Amino acid sequence: MAKNLSLCLVVLLAVASAESTFLKTEGKALRFQAIGDQGFFAIPGSFTDGSPLFEQSDIDKANPIEVPNQVVADKMSKVAQEDPIDFVIGLGDNFYQLPNGLKNINDPRVAYMFSHTYNQPGLKVPFYMILGNHDCYGDPKIEVAETKIHEQWNMPNNYYEQTFDIDNGKKALFLFLDGCVLSCADSVKSGQTCNGFSYPITKDIVDAHLTWLEQTLEKYASDSTIAWRTISVHWPFFSIGHSHGDTDSLKNNVLPMLAKYKVDVILSGHDHNSQYINMTVDTITKGEVKPGNKSRSDCSMMPIGVEENKDTHFTQGEHVHQFGAGNSGVPPGQLCKSRYTEHENVIYAAWVNGFIEVEVSSKSYVVRNWAVHTNEYLTQITIDAAAPKVEEPVSEWEQFLTLFEQWFSSE
């Protein structure tokens, strides 16, 4: 195990060679970091009865693999001091351990595992949080209520929207979804129950969320100031992770909506590694999306596509892009080549602890994948904004023909 881990880290270190700051854009670019599955503390005996059984000295002495959320937070702070950020997105599974999720408003894990961990230079910014499966084993309403208690914590509802100003009079739209509900969509629509969480997910609850999502996307569909559309949801649509893989319920019930309303980016967690997978909009609109491959053969810790895709460009509107960052607080999980599904393009995947860093401007959407054990980012994906459509001038002859046709049809 240790030998494989060392080999993996050597490979990752070998591909790190890029500059450490974003290209500076004109005007106000939006910068943020995203983390997922960060609510884990692996020192044996901690929080078994809802109370902390460790002191700061325990954290200081622990092996990094035992406290990956603290190590990741340290790296986030270092990067944010060089490239200041506006906020952080938390992609769910905010609180593991016994009990899973939060059971009461005074749960000490919020102070220890959130406020303490991220109380660092560069990270004293708003955190926009969503629910993961471990949060829904507890009481999600308590995590919503924490918004009024902890200054940095933002979860005004179990799903919500937020817009941010960027340069050139443009905005970026972010929708924060409840994956606990949406992951149950296929089950409840077929008449099955979805009782894996601490409360039942009913068809009415699923329908309400899907209706809200479509109405919200529709509301902004004709807004020319919206340059980019991003959704955050704990479960991945696409994944080659050993633990979970694709979420067919999202692919069946949400993905067509994303293509229809030109959503650019999905941010997800759940599988405990870093992945970037995209799918062409054409594949989605033609109904050619395949069910996820559930095979768990040919799994390993070796990275996929990292060196080959160090700095890769795409053009907006051609793909739906998903960036998985479920690697920010738990020991990382293996990657399975057998989970490759037709039409899902795996650009990179890495068995590492880390986070992603994003810069959004009117010209581009840039995503960097960071690992805690490297001095530079592993990969950079740039989605270049689509060129605005230029209306061809109408000739006088064409104007005459149009007027003639209108006159003729009215007679």
Side-chain angles (χ1 to χ4, degrees):
M1 172 72 175
K3 182 178 179 180
N4 288 339
L5 175 60
S6 299
L7 177 60
C8 181
L9 294 178
V10 167
V11 172
L12 293 177
L13 285 165
V15 301
S17 61
E19 295 181 2
S20 60
T21 55
F22 277 120
L23 296 175
K24 302 305 178 185
T25 57
E26 297 177 5
K28 171 63 175 172
L30 186 70
R31 292 193 180 95
F32 66 92
Q33 296 175 355
I35 53 177
D37 301 73
Q38 71 281 357
F40 182 80
F41 197 90
I43 290 180
S46 61
F47 297 119
T48 53
D49 63 354
S51 302
L53 303 180
F54 64 90
E55 303 294 339
Q56 177 61 36
S57 58
D58 296 318
I59 299 175
D60 296 337
K61 291 183 293 184
N63 186 299
I65 201 167
E66 292 181 314
V67 202
N69 55 354
Q70 185 68 57
V71 178
V72 172
D74 293 345
K75 186 72 172 186
M76 292 167 63
S77 172
K78 181 178 179 180
V79 172
Q81 289 178 71
E82 215 167 295
D83 284 320
I85 57 175
D86 298 286
F87 57 88
V88 174
I89 293 178
L91 293 166
D93 279 2
N94 307 313
F95 302 102
Y96 286 83
Q97 269 45 47
L98 298 173
N100 279 299
L102 298 183
K103 301 298 183 183
N104 63 74
I105 198 69
N106 297 313
D107 194 310
R109 287 175 295 172
V110 183
Y112 272 78
M113 299 173 68
F114 176 72
S115 300
H116 167 78
T117 300
Y118 302 104
N119 183 26
Q120 299 203 47
L123 301 183
K124 296 177 182 180
V125 295
F127 278 60
Y128 293 95
M129 312 298 289
I130 59 173
L131 298 169
N133 51 300
H134 284 271
D135 304 301
C136 293
Y137 301 144
D139 187 348
K141 294 192 294 295
I142 295 175
E143 295 200 27
V144 172
E146 294 291 346
T147 301
K148 297 182 179 180
I149 299 174
H150 292 271
E151 183 178 6
Q152 289 177 268
W153 182 280
N154 289 274
M155 190 191 291
N157 205 335
N158 57 330
Y159 49 89
Y160 58 101
E161 66 178 271
Q162 186 77 39
T163 59
F164 298 94
D165 292 332
I166 54 177
D167 58 309
N168 292 327
K170 298 295 185 178
K171 296 180 180 181
L173 170 66
F174 288 77
L175 302 184
F176 300 89
L177 309 186
D178 183 348
C180 301
V181 170
L182 297 177
S183 66
C184 287
D186 276 353
S187 296
V188 299
K189 285 188 172 185
S190 64
Q192 303 175 43
T193 57
C194 194
N195 292 321
F197 305 121
S198 63
Y199 57 99
I201 305 292
T202 65
K203 185 175 184 299
D204 287 345
I205 291 174
V206 170
D207 288 344
H209 195 346
L210 290 171
T211 298
W212 172 87
L213 176 58
E214 180 143 35
Q215 289 178 345
T216 305
L217 289 170
E218 176 67 36
K219 178 174 68 174
Y220 291 102
S222 59
D223 187 342
S224 61
T225 67
I226 301 295
W228 301 97
R229 294 165 173 82
T230 302
I231 70 161
S232 298
V233 61
H234 180 67
W235 278 255
F237 288 69
F238 324 117
S239 173
I240 60 168
H242 177 274
S243 297
H244 303 293
D246 287 13
T247 308
D248 288 335
S249 185
L250 292 178
K251 290 163 68 174
N252 295 335
N253 296 279
V254 180
L255 191 58
M257 218 182 291
L258 304 189
K260 176 182 177 181
Y261 292 104
K262 301 179 181 179
V263 170
D264 302 289
V265 172
I266 302 164
L267 303 177
S268 68
H270 203 41
D271 264 322
H272 301 159
N273 37 53
S274 177
Q275 301 184 49
Y276 166 49
I277 301 174
N278 67 34
M279 179 176 284
T280 66
V281 172
D282 193 48
T283 295
I284 302 168
T285 55
K286 288 181 177 178
E288 296 176 350
V289 179
K290 305 294 185 182
N293 192 330
K294 303 303 181 184
S295 172
R296 283 192 172 100
S297 62
D298 196 15
C299 302
S300 74
M301 298 179 293
M302 296 308 295
I304 297 169
V306 173
E307 187 170 8
E308 296 88 342
N309 296 288
K310 187 67 181 178
D311 190 357
T312 307
H313 284 253
F314 294 90
T315 301
Q316 184 182 24
E318 296 178 357
H319 299 80
V320 174
H321 305 265
Q322 179 192 272
F323 297 91
N327 58 333
S328 306
V330 290
Q334 291 187 336
L335 304 161
C336 301
K337 291 183 178 180
S338 61
R339 283 197 184 273
Y340 277 75
T341 302
E342 188 179 1
H343 303 310
E344 296 178 12
N345 307 307
V346 181
I347 309 303
Y348 71 69
W351 184 88
V352 291
N353 282 122
F355 61 97
I356 59 176
E357 179 191 24
V358 183
E359 179 181 271
V360 184
S361 73
S362 61
K363 296 180 179 179
S364 61
Y365 196 115
V366 184
V367 181
R368 286 182 171 175
N369 169 31
W370 285 90
V372 294
H373 298 291
T374 58
N375 293 323
E376 305 293 349
Y377 61 84
L378 299 181
T379 57
Q380 176 172 290
I381 302 296
T382 300
I383 309 168
D384 296 305
K389 292 183 179 179
V390 178
E391 296 291 337
E392 292 291 334
V394 180
S395 68
E396 292 183 359
W397 174 245
E398 288 173 316
Q399 293 179 42
F400 168 76
L401 288 177
T402 300
L403 291 172
F404 180 78
E405 288 173 356
Q406 290 174 350
W407 171 81
F408 186 79
S409 61
S410 64
E411 289 298 312

